[in-house]
Amino acid sequence: MTDLINNPDASRLIFGLRDTGYNFKTAAADIIDNSIAANATEVHVRIDLRQDGRKFVYFGDDGHGMDTAGVHAALRYGSPERANLASLGKFGLGLKTASSSVCKRFTVISRKNPGAPLAKLAWDLDHVEDTGTWEMLREPVEAHEQEAWDELCGETGTLVVWSKCDRLLSKHFDEPGGARELAAIRRLRVGLKEHLGMVYHRFLDAGDGRQRLVQMSVDGEAVEPWNPMFPEKSEQVLSDAQQVIDMEGVDGDGGGQARVRAWILPHASSLSDAEKRQARITNKGQGFYIYREGRLINPGGWLGVFGAHGTFEPHMSLLRIEFDFGHDLDEAFYVDVKKSRILFDPAIEEHLTTLLRNARREAENRYRRKERERAAGTGIDHTPANTSINGTPNLKKPVVQEADPTAQTATVSNAQGPRIKIAGPVHNNVSPAAVHVAAVDSITTGELWVPSFRSTTTSGHVPAVELNRHHDFYQKVYLRAASRGYAVEGMDLLFWAFAVAEIEYSNAEMQPIFTDIREVVSSNLRKLLRDVPVAQPADVEDDVEAGEE
Ligand SMILES: Nc1ncnc2c1ncn2[C@@H]1O[C@H](COP(=O)(O)OP(=O)(O)OP(=O)(O)O)[C@@H](O)[C@H]1O
Ligand SMILES: [Mg+2]
């Protein structure tokens, strides 16, 4: 029967497990989950770049620590199941898979009893490859490790050391340990601090009683909590009864309760600069913030709720959903090994869609109202383009013979013939500063621009262009361009020239084709700009600075 035992190939498997989809930040958080599960009150991270380009990451905690047997079990792929199921650990893999995704050698040094010697064991992937066996390394504690222990750990606690960090930075540097690599490490540090501040904000915030307090630092700088719900200024819109979701167990398991709260953030235009920095309102920041046992595992995104339309629409950027569950619902939410992904099954997806419908509508309304106010308030100035067009005598453009505001049609003499009837917006009594080019609220077809016929009185209409103030191009590109000299005028003239050329070549046969073209252009632009955030006042200011450089 021995031929039925088929042990994994140590080298192939240990290397294969490097690519389980971690990045530096998620891997680091998996190590810190273990510290929190070990009841640590302090967790400190240090990232070292040596002069020769070698990189080390140290994670120290003051948790309950382990003896030698404990370290041995901890380093086993598939560690024993934890006694406390509510702890952040679950699969017995995190320490190993997270570490090896970043480095080829990871060491655990730990002490369970004050005064006892440090227990130390390590995996080295090169050693496993050389020997072809699941053999760890037992070596004395090195000076740099002892130093890190003294600095980062408590009386008891655990130090995890990542060395041979071949995947810490995504790039290789010509000059190892040089200024550019140092700068990359600095960015990594900032990114990690931010990530930890978000993921563990309930643990880091002394004012948040939901989790016990844990202090963290990265290279000596304290990690500050960041609560994405921004409760100081946001409004939670679900009633107490709506906040509880009773989940059935899977395969006869007990099931449990999830909790959901819907927060509508204030629009950036009503926040101070400091508040804006705190709220961090971005397109990608909308959606579900999923917490498992109080630890954030999914920052934003709609996870299929609200269908494809729910994917990062700018007008939903003020809605953040705080969603909580415990380990008892891991099965129900299909938690993955990295505990960074969950799935909603169709029944819960439907429940959430209904539950959150009003919150969504309210968030959208608030956003749109503010955007309208702002677009009106920022008053993008289309006067220069109108002045230029007025002052340029030899422009090639069709002559409008009559325009009928009731029927919304005009008769023109153009390249197609003398009396060509064209449908399009007709506006009387407009300001001279908006007779050729105007931004309007009245376009409901989604088109970015439409050719139109405008007059400062009730006759003598000119061929003109109307721009859709609600199109993403207007909201994202025009609003940003507003601070940049001639950019608005240039775009105005371009759209005017398109519109006038269209009127020049339009007739009953051509008009639907031109309309189709405008629709395709407008819809492609909307898709292309989907991930570009709507210009906030701060962007406009940044742009001014960038423009002056
Ligand atoms: N900082 C630590 N302090 C004390 N014990 C630890 C520490 N880190 C790891 N351990 C021990 O090592 C074991 C293995 O950790 P590992 O992260 O691989 O698995 P896990 O946390 O149990 O599950 P998961 O795969 O979900 O992370 C843990 O169950 C714990 O007993
Ligand atoms: Mg773990």
Side-chain angles (χ1 to χ4, degrees):
M1 293 299 269
T2 48
D3 60 333
L4 292 181
I5 302 293
N6 196 346
N7 282 321
D9 180 304
S11 172
R12 296 278 297 149
L13 187 58
I14 208 166
F15 276 89
L17 286 171
R18 300 194 77 187
D19 300 302
T20 33
Y22 284 99
N23 59 40
F24 170 62
K25 292 188 285 196
T26 54
D30 228 317
I31 301 303
I32 294 174
D33 281 349
N34 289 339
S35 298
I36 292 179
N39 253 323
T41 60
E42 291 184 34
V43 182
H44 302 291
V45 185
R46 209 174 85 194
I47 309 172
D48 276 2
L49 172 64
R50 303 281 165 84
Q51 273 175 356
D52 57 8
R54 282 186 304 154
K55 292 166 276 288
F56 294 82
V57 185
Y58 303 87
F59 300 87
D61 70 49
D62 64 350
H64 57 55
M66 294 169 276
D67 55 18
T68 309
V71 173
H72 194 280
L75 279 172
R76 182 180 191 128
Y77 280 76
S79 296
E81 191 176 10
R82 287 174 182 267
N84 174 12
L85 293 176
S87 81
L88 297 175
K90 177 172 174 65
F91 297 100
L93 285 173
L95 169 63
K96 284 75 65 177
T97 48
S99 300
S100 69
S101 70
V102 175
C103 70
K104 289 208 287 181
R105 183 182 182 120
F106 49 100
T107 305
V108 174
I109 298 171
S110 193
R111 182 160 70 196
K112 193 173 169 182
N113 298 306
L118 297 178
K120 168 177 164 177
L121 286 169
W123 278 116
D124 186 313
L125 272 57
D126 293 326
H127 180 75
V128 171
E129 185 172 40
D130 292 345
T131 61
T133 60
W134 293 99
E135 182 178 74
M136 295 189 290
L137 298 177
R138 185 190 295 121
E139 291 171 345
V141 175
E142 292 172 27
H144 70 101
E145 294 166 338
Q146 183 67 53
E147 193 192 304
W149 173 278
D150 294 339
E151 184 193 332
L152 307 175
C153 298
E155 270 298 291
T156 65
T158 300
L159 180 72
V160 175
V161 185
W162 292 349
S163 42
K164 296 193 180 176
C165 292
D166 59 338
R167 294 185 177 178
L168 185 61
L169 301 175
S170 53
K171 212 169 113 181
H172 287 282
F173 291 83
D174 295 341
E175 191 198 337
R180 304 189 70 161
E181 188 161 30
L182 206 59
I185 293 282
R186 214 173 289 135
R187 283 194 295 275
L188 203 69
R189 192 173 287 148
V190 172
L192 179 64
K193 258 183 74 184
E194 216 167 81
H195 185 73
L196 299 180
M198 175 178 75
V199 166
Y200 300 107
H201 72 87
R202 292 186 187 171
F203 296 87
L204 291 162
D205 185 350
D208 190 327
R210 289 174 290 188
Q211 303 296 333
R212 74 188 172 77
L213 189 62
V214 180
Q215 285 174 3
M216 295 183 195
S217 75
V218 177
D219 287 312
E221 286 181 33
V223 175
E224 301 295 340
W226 177 64
N227 182 350
M229 303 311 132
F230 193 30
E232 299 85 348
K233 291 268 167 176
S234 308
E235 190 186 347
Q236 200 291 117
V237 296
L238 294 184
S239 70
D240 286 350
Q242 287 176 313
Q243 291 177 27
V244 179
I245 301 181
D246 283 308
M247 299 280 300
E248 282 175 25
V250 175
D251 298 338
D253 276 0
Q257 284 188 337
R259 300 191 72 88
V260 55
R261 302 206 281 170
W263 296 88
I264 303 181
L265 279 80
H267 191 278
S269 65
S270 48
L271 296 177
S272 71
D273 283 353
E275 289 169 338
K276 254 179 267 173
R277 274 193 296 280
Q278 217 198 321
R280 296 187 206 162
I281 297 169
T282 60
N283 204 15
K284 290 228 163 94
Q286 61 183 278
F288 282 97
Y289 287 75
I290 311 276
Y291 295 79
R292 177 182 179 274
E293 299 290 350
R295 184 262 216 227
L296 182 67
I297 62 170
N298 175 83
W302 287 108
L303 307 177
V305 173
F306 298 142
H309 294 300
T311 45
F312 301 125
E313 297 291 345
H315 52 258
M316 284 164 74
S317 60
L318 302 183
L319 185 56
R320 291 180 184 167
I321 311 297
E322 185 174 23
F323 188 97
D324 266 277
F325 73 98
H327 68 283
D328 47 341
L329 290 178
D330 280 348
E331 308 277 311
F333 290 121
Y334 309 99
V335 172
D336 71 336
V337 174
K338 297 199 302 299
K339 296 185 260 6
S340 62
R341 185 223 61 196
I342 73 163
L343 299 175
F344 292 141
D345 63 27
I348 170 123
E349 205 176 283
E350 203 180 306
H351 176 73
L352 288 169
T353 306
T354 315
L355 180 71
L356 298 173
R357 187 166 292 142
N358 287 336
R360 173 190 174 175
R361 190 167 309 140
E362 180 58 23
E364 288 180 341
N365 285 344
R366 286 188 200 184
Y367 179 86
R368 289 212 168 95
R369 196 159 56 236
K370 278 292 175 188
E371 283 302 308
R372 267 200 297 279
E373 275 171 32
R374 210 160 55 79
T378 48
I380 290 188
D381 190 6
H382 298 284
T383 317
N386 282 285
T387 310
S388 298
I389 295 164
N390 237 0
T392 310
N394 50 353
L395 291 166
K396 180 169 171 61
K397 51 184 185 182
V399 177
V400 183
Q401 291 158 328
E402 326 162 356
D404 180 348
T406 318
Q408 297 279 295
T409 56
T411 311
V412 303
S413 144
N414 69 9
Q416 304 285 12
R419 287 195 66 82
I420 306 286
K421 200 164 181 186
I422 299 173
V426 176
H427 286 116
N428 291 344
N429 301 318
V430 301
S431 142
V435 68
H436 301 287
V437 180
V440 299
D441 293 312
S442 51
I443 301 173
T444 53
T445 52
E447 284 152 292
L448 168 57
W449 80 98
V450 288
S452 60
F453 307 92
R454 296 170 68 89
S455 165
T456 53
T457 60
T458 51
S459 61
H461 291 77
V462 294
V465 67
E466 292 182 357
L467 299 166
N468 179 359
R469 213 179 246 143
H470 302 290
H471 191 282
D472 273 2
F473 190 89
Y474 199 85
Q475 291 292 327
K476 296 175 174 180
V477 180
Y478 259 93
L479 279 187
R480 279 203 179 75
S483 57
R484 294 194 174 207
Y486 292 102
V488 166
E489 182 179 352
M491 291 192 291
D492 282 352
L493 294 177
L494 182 66
F495 286 116
W496 178 86
F498 279 143
V500 168
E502 178 178 333
I503 299 172
E504 176 70 14
Y505 285 94
S506 196
N507 57 20
E509 197 184 333
M510 292 299 291
Q511 187 163 23
I513 299 173
F514 285 130
T515 306
D516 282 351
I517 293 174
R518 268 185 288 109
E519 269 169 16
V520 171
V521 173
S522 305
S523 128
N524 275 338
L525 282 173
R526 195 168 26 250
K527 286 177 191 156
L528 288 165
L529 292 169
R530 174 158 285 163
D531 288 338
V532 175
V534 167
Q536 306 292 348
D539 292 332
V540 176
E541 285 152 30
D542 287 351
D543 283 356
V544 175
E545 278 162 32
E548 282 170 357
E549 265 177 8

